[in-house]
Amino acid sequence: DTSRPAEHVGLANLAERMHADRPARRALVVGCGVGRAVFDLCERFDAVLGIDRSIACVRRARNVAVTVG
């Protein structure tokens, strides 16, 4: 998907390669901002947790998650 930033796709690919012998089911994104990387990783992991020190970013990410589902 060309609408995704290359660094998010690269992050997801790297995570998969690192756990090829033992698939990871959960991921943690520190400094998630508005959640773009979190949403991309959700397609490859069972559970993804994003944390950020900016409550405004966390609120925006939550709103997107609720809207998108």
Side-chain angles (χ1 to χ4, degrees):
D1 184 356
T2 58
S3 66
R4 294 187 180 146
E7 62 270 14
H8 296 174
V9 174
L11 176 66
N13 289 338
L14 174 64
E16 279 188 335
R17 283 195 311 270
M18 289 177 66
H19 297 282
D21 61 331
R22 176 176 48 95
R25 292 179 293 197
R26 296 179 290 176
L28 171 66
V29 180
V30 178
C32 68
V34 296
R36 289 183 187 100
V38 172
F39 299 131
D40 285 340
L41 289 171
C42 282
E43 295 179 5
R44 299 176 190 227
F45 293 89
D46 295 335
V48 181
L49 174 64
I51 59 173
D52 198 286
R53 64 185 273 182
S54 168
I55 192 67
C57 286
V58 171
R59 284 184 181 139
R60 186 167 172 203
R62 278 190 193 142
N63 288 339
V64 170
V66 168
T67 302
V68 173

